[in-house]
């Protein structure tokens, strides 16, 4: 189960999504996840997103509005969390739609997400198949 927080005004509203297929998860999250014994304090991590090698987003996990224990506690109020569940938060500044000029992914681009101490997930961007 995925737990997504959306900020609407001053309210934080939980939403849930159907579990993804295994191949979809592999493309989104990579071939592996790390466990809490490998990352005892997630607030010490940083995340960087690169488009074709250019840094588009960069932030520390400590910049989250709610820290990881608070996110887990909140999600636990409306769903049972099991090993392997993923809690997804928002995104850092630098989103392409808010840049001037705007930046959008195109076929042939490569997007990389680098989390310090975890690794880099790199995906090529392909054109959507035509019907």
């Amino acid at each position: 189960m995925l737990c997504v927080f959306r900020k609407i005004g001053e309210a934080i509203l939980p939403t849930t999504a159907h579990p993804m297929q295994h191949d979809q998860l592999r493309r989104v999250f990579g071939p592996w996840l790390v466990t809490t014994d490998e990352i005892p304090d997630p607030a010490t991590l940083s995340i960087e997103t690169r488009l074709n090698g250019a840094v588009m987003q960069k932030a520390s996990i400590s910049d989250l509005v709610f820290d990881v224990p608070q996110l887990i506690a909140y999600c636990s109020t409306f769903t049972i969390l099991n090993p392997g569940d993923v809690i997804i938060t928002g995104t850092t500044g630098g989103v392409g739609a808010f840049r001037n000029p705007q930046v959008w992914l195109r076929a042939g681009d490569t997007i990389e997400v680098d989390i310090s101490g975890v690794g880099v997930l790199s995906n090529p961007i392909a054109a959507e198949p035509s019907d």
Side-chain angles (χ1 to χ4, degrees):
M1 173 165 300
L2 301 176
C3 170
V4 181
F5 290 89
R6 296 179 187 222
K7 185 170 185 177
I8 300 173
E10 293 303 317
I12 305 294
L13 303 175
T15 61
T16 56
H18 296 288
M20 293 180 173
Q21 299 295 324
H22 176 72
D23 64 325
Q24 291 172 313
L25 283 173
R26 180 179 47 78
R27 287 190 299 262
V28 174
F29 294 112
W32 60 85
L33 298 173
V34 295
T35 57
T36 56
D37 61 316
E38 296 173 279
I39 308 290
D41 184 5
T44 64
L45 303 178
S46 62
I47 186 168
E48 181 176 285
T49 303
R50 296 182 293 269
L51 175 60
N52 301 323
V55 175
M56 302 297 288
Q57 297 175 290
K58 185 173 185 171
S60 172
I61 302 302
S62 65
D63 291 342
L64 286 168
V65 174
F66 301 103
D67 66 21
V68 173
Q70 288 174 304
L71 293 171
I72 293 168
Y74 180 71
C75 286
S76 296
T77 67
F78 61 86
T79 191
I80 296 170
L81 294 173
N82 295 299
D85 285 349
V86 175
I87 298 173
I88 300 173
T89 65
T91 186
T92 65
V95 175
F98 298 107
R99 289 177 172 266
N100 187 9
Q102 293 181 335
V103 177
W104 301 102
L105 299 177
R106 294 186 224 151
D109 286 344
T110 299
I111 192 80
E112 297 175 309
V113 178
D114 186 348
I115 301 177
S116 62
V118 176
V120 178
L121 177 64
S122 179
N123 283 299
I125 305 302
E128 289 189 47
S130 57
D131 294 333

